[in-house]
Amino acid sequence: MAYSSDSEGVAVVDASGTVTITGPGTAHIRADQAGDAAWNPAPQASQTLTVGKATPLITWATPADILVGTALSDMQLNATTTVPGPFEYTPAIDTVLPLGTATLSVQFVPDATAMYNTPEPQTVSLNVVERIQNIFDCTFNDNCPGIVHPGPGQLNNTHISRQDH
């Protein structure tokens, strides 16, 4: 048995008849059996194979909240795909977003546009939050969280404050 493809840019066939897709387009896969002293030749078997372009899948997890005043970085703008090509983000890296919820979007264009479709843009939401400050005011005799009180006579003030960032 002999196998062949009339378009190896679409599909190739090995000696055992295994077909491997190599790109989009149309190929005619043929199987020929020539026959021998014991058997007559078989009629040629042919199958048309049409392969479309693949569409890459973009993976992009929702990023963790950021503090207001923090510029966008690759920590937030980190979409991936298994196909080579550039990502274009809106808003762009180094943008400082206002307080609230922002929508981030990404457009990916595969390098091999003959092999791959351009996928639809993807979006994620990002929460931009305020820095929360906890202020504990306590007097010298209070039990204040996180404050180590000095011994007697080591403190002239009777008011201790701690600010958490």
Side-chain angles (χ1 to χ4, degrees):
M1 186 74 78
Y3 301 96
S4 65
S5 168
D6 70 348
S7 180
E8 292 188 355
V10 177
V12 294
V13 187
D14 68 16
S16 68
T18 301
V19 176
T20 302
I21 305 299
T22 56
T26 301
H28 301 281
I29 308 298
R30 294 185 176 88
D32 293 296
Q33 184 173 341
D36 57 22
W39 299 95
N40 289 328
Q44 183 182 66
S46 179
Q47 182 66 47
T48 301
L49 178 67
T50 301
V51 179
K53 289 194 222 180
T55 301
L57 175 66
I58 298 173
T59 303
W60 193 10
T62 300
D65 295 355
I66 62 172
L67 295 175
V68 68
T70 302
L72 291 175
S73 71
D74 59 3
M75 295 295 294
Q76 298 82 36
L77 306 179
N78 59 358
T80 61
T81 187
T82 58
V83 175
F87 293 91
E88 184 177 322
Y89 294 96
T90 304
I93 198 162
D94 293 328
T95 299
V96 176
L97 299 171
L99 182 66
T101 301
T103 299
L104 309 179
S105 67
V106 64
Q107 177 66 63
F108 173 76
V109 178
D111 287 343
T113 55
M115 303 270 298
Y116 298 98
N117 294 311
T118 298
E120 292 295 318
Q122 300 294 306
T123 61
V124 294
S125 292
L126 174 66
N127 294 317
V128 181
V129 298
E130 287 187 72
R131 180 180 308 268
I132 298 175
Q133 295 181 345
N134 294 320
I135 299 176
F136 298 97
D137 288 325
C138 30
T139 62
F140 182 74
N141 294 325
D142 289 341
N143 182 14
C144 299
I147 301 294
V148 177
H149 295 287
Q154 295 180 356
L155 184 65
N156 293 331
N157 295 330
T158 59
H159 190 266
I160 299 172
S161 295
R162 183 182 105 185
Q163 184 173 1
D164 288 340
H165 297 280

